């Protein structure tokens, strides 16, 4: 009897201890829209792995991809409300502040070395204040990647090949303007809706980095892949400035440090993914290159529109042009 009583008491105390431990555990949710095998999925998973090894036992990063917690707009709202800790938005940031539309200008970035220099130069003095006006904080600039075109109508060699095609674009005014300038009909839509739209014929095509094209299995419903590199889109690891600041200072510092340190890993991983996916996707879709000169010529007016429409836009373009000139001068001197 005494043994049974002791065993029962031990079970109850262990149960209570586990209940208290679970109650004390704080899950930090990380939401993104990438599918399995995408760069977003790889980046968020690696961040969570590193963070969970280093965080106190009462904290744990939990990843939810494939827009399971909503599209980027919904996730940003949940971050503000404290329901989600981390998001990984990209193009939608230009809807929050037109300053982020800088990265919607076509052919602005041609290499990851350039984006690192530009990101380092602009994050704290320009982008961070714009994010904080909306209640957010950028922990680091990550990557969505160089964007490519897919469609079911024909190979896209010149801008006129896009004429009249219904092309899905992320939600963001400058991306819509770009594809309207190119002669397409831009259809803003959440990523999780695109596969069905392509399959049904409601969309003719879409544009995304190779890792997203592969992760979302667009090769199942698209015939043609055009390697255009028409845009490089950063991604931003975003938190609520208010809710994040309520975490213990050592937890904030640790998470911000890991987010920043992840950048080099993400660039290496993205480069390797691109190299492998060009071959893999080339076996599933007909692949071609664009006539880049004709695309640059027809899309260049967007730079002037950005300079006029966005406060400080002309200065931002000048900063980027100067950084790019310095980059190319150093590259040619090697």
């Amino acid at each position: 009897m005494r043994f049974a009583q002791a065993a029962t008491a031990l079970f109850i105390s262990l149960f209570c201890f586990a209940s208290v431990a679970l109650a004390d555990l704080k899950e930090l949710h990380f939401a993104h829209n990438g599918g399995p095998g995408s760069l977003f999925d790889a980046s968020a998973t690696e961040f969570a792995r590193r963070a969970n090894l280093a965080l106190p036992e009462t904290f744990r990063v939990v990843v939810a991809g494939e827009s399971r917690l909503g599209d980027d707009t919904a996730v940003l709202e949940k971050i503000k409300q404290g329901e989600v800790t981390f998001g990984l938005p990209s193009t939608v940031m230009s809807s929050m502040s037109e300053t982020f539309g800088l990265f919607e200008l076509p052919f602005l970035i041609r290499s990851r070395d350039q984006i690192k220099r530009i990101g380092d130069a602009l994050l704290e003095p320009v982008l961070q204040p714009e994010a904080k006006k909306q209640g957010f904080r950028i922990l680091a600039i990550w990557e969505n990647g160089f964007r490519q075109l897919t469609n079911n109508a024909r190979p896209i060699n010149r801008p006129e090949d896009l004429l009249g095609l219904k092309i899905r674009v992320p939600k963001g005014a400058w991306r819509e303007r770009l594809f309207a300038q190119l002669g397409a009909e831009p259809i803003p839509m959440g990523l999780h809706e695109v596969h069905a739209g392509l399959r049904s014929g409601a969309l003719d095509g879409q544009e995304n980095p190779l890792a997203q094209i592969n992760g979302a299995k667009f090769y199942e419903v698209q015939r043609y892949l055009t390697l255009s590199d028409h845009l490089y889109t950063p991604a931003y690891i975003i938190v609520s400035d208010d809710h994040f600041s309520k975490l213990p200072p050592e937890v904030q510092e640790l998470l911000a440090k890991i987010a920043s340190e992840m950048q080099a890993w993400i660039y290496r991983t993205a480069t390797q993914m691109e190299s492998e996916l060009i071959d893999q996707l080339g076996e599933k879709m007909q692949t071609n290159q664009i006539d880049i000169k004709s695309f640059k010529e027809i899309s260049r007016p967007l730079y002037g529109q950005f300079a006029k429409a966005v406060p400080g836009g002309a200065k931002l373009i000048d900063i980027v042009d100067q950084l790019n000139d310095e980059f190319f001068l150093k590259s040619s001197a090697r």
Side-chain angles (χ1 to χ4, degrees), residues 7 18 75 80 91-92 114 124 142 173 200 272:
V75 167
K80 275 190 176 181
T91 300
V92 74
Q114 284 175 274
E124 290 304 327
W142 287 4
S200 70
Q272 181 179 347

Side-chain angles (χ1 to χ4, degrees), residues 145-167:
F146 288 99
R147 302 183 79 87
Q148 322 298 343
L149 283 159
T150 68
N151 85 99
N152 275 328
R154 50 189 169 267
I156 306 300
N157 297 297
R158 296 176 59 83
E160 50 263 37
D161 295 323
L162 280 166
L163 190 63
L165 296 187
K166 297 186 291 294
I167 302 294

Side-chain angles (χ1 to χ4, degrees), residues 206-232:
Q206 62 82 51
E207 48 90 60
N208 255 301
L210 293 176
Q212 289 281 44
I213 290 170
N214 188 63
K217 299 183 179 179
F218 291 147
Y219 52 80
E220 294 179 339
V221 287
Q222 295 278 264
R223 296 188 188 95
Y224 303 104
L225 167 64
T226 299
L227 301 173
S228 53
D229 284 351
H230 54 279
L231 287 170
Y232 175 92

Side-chain angles (χ1 to χ4, degrees), residues 40 88-91 138 140-145 232-237:
F40 275 12
L88 198 55
S90 183
T91 300
I138 302 171
I141 296 179
W142 287 4
E143 172 168 321
N144 196 349
Y232 175 92
T233 42
Y236 310 88
I237 180 163

